[in-house]
Amino acid sequence: MILPLVKPRFLSLCLFVLFLLMELIQFSHIFYFKTPLNVYSLHLMWGEFKEIALASQGVLPWGLFHVFVLLCVYGTLIFLYLKIQSKTSFIATILLILLLSILPYKALFKSPHIRNFVPRNDDISLLNDLKVFTAYFLIYLKTKNKDIPKYLPYELSYEKVSPRNIVLILGESVNANHIALLGYERNTTPKLKELALNDENFIAKKALSSSVLTNVSLPMFMNISYNHNDIQHILNENTHLFKLAKQAGFKTYYISNQEESLLSYMSSNFIDVLYTKENYALKSSKIGDLVLLKKLDELAPLFKEGSNFIVFHQRSSHVPYKDQYKGYKQADVFPLSRDLNQNIINTYDNSIIFDDYVLSHIFEKFKTMKTPTYILFVPDHGETLGELGENNQSEFHHGFLSKNVANIPIFASAYGVKKDDEFIKDLRQIFTPTHYELGVALAKLMGFKIINPNFKQGIFYINGNDLAGNNGYIEVLKQGEKLEFKTHSP
Ligand SMILES: [Zn+2]
């Protein structure tokens, strides 16, 4: 609405052309990679222009379709703009400049971190363009480690496995210290405890997440990423769990109570059946993760036969904790408190009681199905609730570099398989498994052996809150039953 009023008029025309160029790059990226353009892809694009041009020849002429559509849309816009003769004014120009300075202002002064400029699947493409290009030119090009580190590619070997369900439950912000099954004094996991008593394959143990933030740990875990800064491996998606599952002939399901925007990390090209929060938004706001159980009941007949890779994605226990369990009255055990920290802990523990109900329900459901099923619960990262950090300060919530945020629980079992199953045996043996080791174990269940030439025995990494590893990381040294953490601050 402002553009026709802008003085001088060629300024608006320049803007149209700029938008068109950004949209061309954006849609080419979506066409080719099926995800919105991000800062790192943009950077790689300049360096590998020749390779991309060669690769894109294979998808012509369909690759030209979006170019044609964009040219039509912007051509019409420019044509109409030239036809409409309105009064112009410098006030409109100032307004336009103010509007267009919002993102550069954020990038330069208010929140100069790439993580604040991550494109979203559910945003309009022009907003994603502005975010990514602003972050690229005003933040990324100023960072020291611009060059994306080169690691050796993983090698894969494959051997077909017997038909089975592989169930992965992705948790949200779960702190291992608040799990009764792992020694917490409050009984936050009554149902899982009962399940564990009657299931000789049941495993509950502490583990370590690959990062401290959803947007970093999900792509790292789903891609079985080992190094904290192997962005190239993540962008390639060569060992993405959904891709591997499809390659091994599994039918793939993603049933999530999180937003569609997280699909950017799920390689959605390789998902056959997909539900996100948007599919049941109203219900989700009322009953939270119970929507996952409803979907499970609905789809369960499909899981009785064949090979399925089923991923559930929980929203609980994300802040605000007390909103997570309002659909399950029995979770309201610990009262609201006037003491701020106590209130955080009480409502958090209630949310874990709710998780306990949801998780045990999913485990039970597959247990009664009699189909060979492997089931694993892994949170994206932990959540601190007053644990002491390196500088002896109490830490709360997540998103910052601390080993306490990576402290997660895992639960696993196997049903309808022979005693002494390899997956269960392996998992029992691994002391404090990391996201990476769990990813390797899941790939193995699908029939893949991952040979990672970058792997160093006994060394693992916890990335900070930047996907490219530019915001610090923690080196984890594992020796026998001993863990040592070395923090590398940014
Ligand atoms: Zn998260």
Side-chain angles (χ1 to χ4, degrees):
M1 285 198 282
I2 295 176
L3 283 175
L5 311 174
V6 167
K7 193 176 190 175
R9 285 172 67 87
F10 80 90
L11 210 69
S12 303
L13 286 173
C14 290
L15 208 63
F16 276 134
V17 174
L18 187 72
F19 283 0
L20 174 63
L21 285 175
M22 291 197 296
E23 289 282 75
L24 281 173
I25 296 174
Q26 175 73 269
F27 277 90
S28 301
H29 191 273
I30 293 176
F31 177 78
Y32 197 71
F33 295 101
K34 319 289 183 225
T35 53
L37 180 73
N38 61 65
V39 172
Y40 312 108
S41 304
L42 189 60
H43 185 72
L44 286 170
M45 225 179 234
W46 310 136
E48 289 171 25
F49 193 77
K50 225 169 135 190
E51 232 168 90
I52 291 169
L54 274 174
S56 54
Q57 275 174 16
V59 290
L60 292 174
W62 284 110
L64 289 175
F65 183 70
H66 64 271
V67 177
F68 173 73
V69 172
L70 281 169
L71 285 175
C72 283
V73 169
Y74 276 87
T76 314
L77 268 176
I78 292 170
F79 173 75
L80 286 176
Y81 176 74
L82 290 173
K83 280 218 107 177
I84 297 169
Q85 293 293 336
S86 60
K87 257 194 176 165
T88 57
S89 144
F90 281 117
I91 298 173
T93 316
I94 292 167
L95 244 147
L96 182 72
I97 290 169
L98 279 175
L99 265 175
L100 289 175
S101 330
I102 295 173
L103 283 172
Y105 169 74
K106 269 176 81 177
L108 287 172
F109 308 107
K110 209 171 148 238
S111 52
H113 297 287
I114 286 172
R115 63 173 182 276
N116 301 319
F117 292 83
V118 175
R120 289 174 57 116
N121 272 16
D122 52 352
D123 268 343
I124 56 163
S125 58
L126 196 56
L127 178 59
N128 280 340
D129 298 345
L130 290 170
K131 279 204 262 189
V132 168
F133 279 89
T134 306
Y136 183 69
F137 287 108
L138 299 182
I139 303 173
Y140 188 79
L141 286 185
K142 289 200 300 198
T143 52
K144 274 180 288 173
N145 315 318
K146 273 198 288 295
D147 292 327
I148 288 167
K150 285 238 184 293
Y151 289 101
L152 296 165
Y154 296 15
E155 282 160 46
L156 281 173
S157 68
Y158 174 68
E159 210 175 303
K160 198 169 169 53
V161 290
S162 56
R164 57 188 55 180
N165 285 327
I166 302 173
V167 183
L168 169 65
I169 310 167
L170 290 169
E172 172 64 73
S173 311
V174 186
N175 180 337
N177 294 344
H178 285 246
I179 302 295
L181 257 176
L182 297 172
Y184 186 44
E185 70 265 20
R186 284 177 162 181
N187 192 11
T188 47
T189 49
K191 289 189 184 289
L192 285 170
K193 254 185 180 171
E194 210 181 295
L195 205 79
L197 279 178
N198 304 307
D199 177 1
E200 55 183 9
N201 280 336
F202 194 87
I203 295 174
K205 64 193 321 182
K206 286 195 177 187
L208 286 171
S209 67
S210 50
S211 159
V212 295
L213 191 73
T214 311
N215 293 351
V216 178
S217 58
L218 279 183
M220 285 188 73
F221 174 60
M222 292 307 286
N223 283 295
I224 323 182
S225 193
Y226 173 67
N227 293 89
H228 71 284
N229 56 354
D230 195 355
I231 189 81
Q232 183 107 51
H233 177 72
I234 289 171
L235 293 177
N236 285 342
E237 295 189 332
N238 279 341
T239 58
H240 195 288
L241 288 171
F242 271 120
K243 185 180 178 187
L244 294 181
K246 267 322 272 179
Q247 277 177 353
F250 283 76
K251 186 161 185 194
T252 53
Y253 294 81
Y254 177 68
I255 305 159
S256 171
N257 187 31
Q258 297 251 16
E259 286 173 9
E260 192 185 272
S261 62
L262 291 189
L263 270 176
S264 312
Y265 313 122
M266 290 297 157
S267 200
S268 44
N269 246 4
F270 298 99
I271 300 175
D272 296 318
V273 180
L274 185 158
Y275 294 99
T276 61
K277 190 180 164 179
E278 287 77 3
N279 286 95
Y280 23 70
L282 199 68
K283 246 193 199 148
S284 165
S285 67
K286 282 186 187 144
I287 60 172
D289 285 347
L290 295 180
V291 292
L292 300 177
L293 303 187
K294 285 203 186 304
K295 268 281 160 249
L296 170 58
D297 286 342
E298 193 185 307
L299 297 169
L302 299 172
F303 303 150
K304 287 211 168 102
E305 266 169 71
S307 300
N308 302 296
F309 178 51
I310 308 149
V311 178
F312 294 96
H313 200 167
Q314 294 182 276
R315 178 62 180 166
S316 180
S317 300
H318 200 280
V319 279
Y321 312 130
K322 71 172 171 29
D323 284 358
Q324 306 300 346
Y325 54 86
K326 57 191 178 195
Y328 180 65
K329 292 272 173 296
Q330 293 92 316
D332 221 335
V333 174
F334 304 106
L336 295 177
S337 166
R338 277 207 189 152
D339 180 278
L340 199 66
N341 288 353
Q342 193 55 50
N343 197 50
I344 290 175
I345 291 168
N346 284 1
T347 49
Y348 184 79
D349 286 350
N350 288 343
S351 79
I352 297 291
I353 294 174
F354 176 55
D355 293 346
D356 173 68
Y357 173 74
V358 172
L359 292 175
S360 57
H361 187 103
I362 299 176
F363 274 74
E364 286 281 5
K365 189 85 188 178
F366 283 96
K367 192 178 177 183
T368 52
M369 229 177 259
K370 304 233 160 46
T371 316
T373 297
Y374 294 88
I375 180 162
L376 174 69
F377 162 77
V378 190
D380 57 350
H381 50 76
E383 179 87 340
T384 51
L385 292 146
E387 283 88 350
L388 292 183
E390 273 187 0
N391 49 4
N392 266 336
Q393 286 237 323
S394 294
E395 295 177 333
F396 281 92
H397 305 303
H398 65 268
F400 48 88
L401 190 64
S402 161
K403 68 177 194 316
N404 296 326
V405 184
N407 176 28
I408 53 168
I410 58 160
F411 308 122
S413 191
Y415 305 121
V417 299
K418 61 180 196 302
K419 223 184 146 194
D420 275 338
D421 183 83
E422 228 180 312
F423 172 72
I424 297 295
K425 245 168 70 188
D426 287 356
L427 209 53
R428 283 229 161 91
Q429 266 166 19
I430 307 174
F431 173 68
T432 323
T434 60
H435 263 179
Y436 175 74
E437 289 169 294
L438 294 167
V440 169
L442 283 170
K444 193 174 166 191
L445 279 181
M446 296 169 188
F448 290 97
K449 189 173 178 217
I450 287 178
I451 304 136
N452 178 1
N454 312 297
F455 181 73
K456 290 186 210 135
Q457 198 60 44
I459 300 177
F460 296 91
Y461 304 94
I462 300 165
N463 194 2
N465 53 25
D466 180 77
L467 188 57
N470 290 324
N471 248 343
Y473 66 99
I474 299 171
E475 212 175 330
V476 183
L477 306 171
K478 249 209 275 187
Q479 245 187 357
E481 305 240 314
K482 232 180 74 194
L483 282 180
E484 207 184 307
F485 297 91
K486 273 191 206 163
T487 304
H488 298 254
S489 300

